[in-house]
Amino acid sequence: SQTIHQWPATLVQPVGSPLSLECTVEGTSNPNLYWYRQAAGRGLQLLFYSVGIGQISSEVPQNLSASRPQDRQFILSSKKLLLSDSGFYLCAWAAGRAGELFFGEGSRLTVL
Amino acid sequence: KQEVTQIPAALSVPEGENLVLNCSFTDSAIYNLQWFRQDPGKGLTSLLLIQSSQREQTSGRLNASLDKSSGRSTLYIAASQPGDSATYLCAVTGNAGKSTFGDGTTLTVKP
């Protein structure tokens, strides 16, 4: 069966520090991969998605970037965090563009 | 641009009641619609997926319907239990394979 792992679960970082959130999927090949951010009490905002290695599409101009160095690995990064980057970040995968979405457990980022 | 609206934003019911959550979307050109459950501080758990060619899907006490032409979906929960308390989100996936989410309905089932 397929599983998705996301880490770290919780992160507290000072303004201006770098960020790296990692996500890996097991049990499937060539998944579509997604990074979402969820503001408190709100729905999810799509940040990045990838249909293959090295293929990244950005949905919202911001202080973040994403990379897909391996088929089942998706990384969310920032060189210098802003206060506004605080939030709940969720990684997801789907088998193709019409497939069911499956989410990781999320990473809670607090920027101080 | 696709917009997804969920009504009501919050709902409180006594245990045992049947209830309906609503989801509406503005662009009917979708691949599928998915309902999720989210517990506080957790990720999303997929409940039901309805492909654009389907009218409904059922899983246990849950039944979801889709009326693509009118841009509406409902999630029906039968015989609600306290363990059903959570936030329920719907999402529609469009032609580009990107999903748009509603803000969710927070359900509280009182014992």
Side-chain angles (χ1 to χ4, degrees):
Chain A
S1 64
Q2 300 89 1
T3 57
I4 178 169
H5 302 283
Q6 188 179 340
W7 71 96
T10 305
L11 198 59
V12 180
Q13 293 287 97
V15 170
S17 64
L19 171 73
S20 180
L21 300 179
E22 294 195 34
C23 173
T24 59
V25 181
E26 297 177 357
T28 187
S29 297
N30 197 31
N32 283 7
L33 295 172
Y34 306 86
W35 278 111
Y36 286 88
R37 178 168 58 199
Q38 186 176 34
R42 299 299 302 275
L44 277 68
Q45 179 188 37
L46 179 62
L47 302 176
F48 301 95
Y49 72 97
S50 172
V51 298
I53 296 174
Q55 300 179 61
I56 309 294
S57 295
S58 174
E59 289 299 297
V60 182
Q62 58 205 324
N63 187 41
L64 302 170
S65 62
S67 62
R68 184 171 178 173
Q70 301 180 38
D71 182 44
R72 290 169 288 176
Q73 183 184 24
F74 206 23
I75 298 172
L76 183 69
S77 303
S78 174
K79 292 182 179 178
K80 292 184 178 181
L81 285 169
L82 306 172
L83 287 174
S84 57
D85 292 324
S86 294
F88 193 48
Y89 290 83
L90 291 151
C91 180
W93 76 273
R97 59 180 177 177
E100 188 171 1
L101 265 177
F102 297 97
F103 281 84
E105 282 298 306
S107 297
R108 174 82 53 194
L109 171 65
T110 302
V111 183
L112 302 175
Chain B
K1 177 185 173 184
Q2 179 75 269
E3 293 182 0
V4 179
T5 303
Q6 291 188 245
I7 295 174
L11 182 63
S12 180
V13 301
E15 182 177 5
E17 274 204 6
N18 302 324
L19 57 101
V20 174
L21 307 181
N22 297 291
C23 173
S24 61
F25 48 96
T26 55
D27 186 351
S28 61
I30 64 171
Y31 274 136
N32 61 48
L33 183 143
Q34 199 167 347
W35 282 93
F36 296 88
R37 169 187 173 134
Q38 185 176 30
D39 293 295
K42 300 294 185 181
L44 278 66
T45 300
S46 178
L47 297 174
L48 291 165
L49 171 72
I50 310 177
Q51 300 291 353
S52 61
S53 59
Q54 298 174 322
R55 296 284 294 183
E56 66 177 346
Q57 284 287 335
T58 298
S59 176
R61 294 183 293 108
L62 305 179
N63 176 275
S65 67
L66 173 64
D67 184 342
K68 199 171 69 168
S69 61
S70 68
R72 294 180 182 178
S73 175
T74 61
L75 179 66
Y76 175 83
I77 302 177
S80 58
Q81 303 171 358
D84 294 331
S85 298
T87 297
Y88 291 81
L89 297 107
C90 72
V92 294
T93 299
N95 294 339
K98 294 179 287 186
S99 298
T100 304
F101 284 76
D103 287 345
T105 294
T106 299
L107 172 66
T108 302
V109 181
K110 298 180 179 179

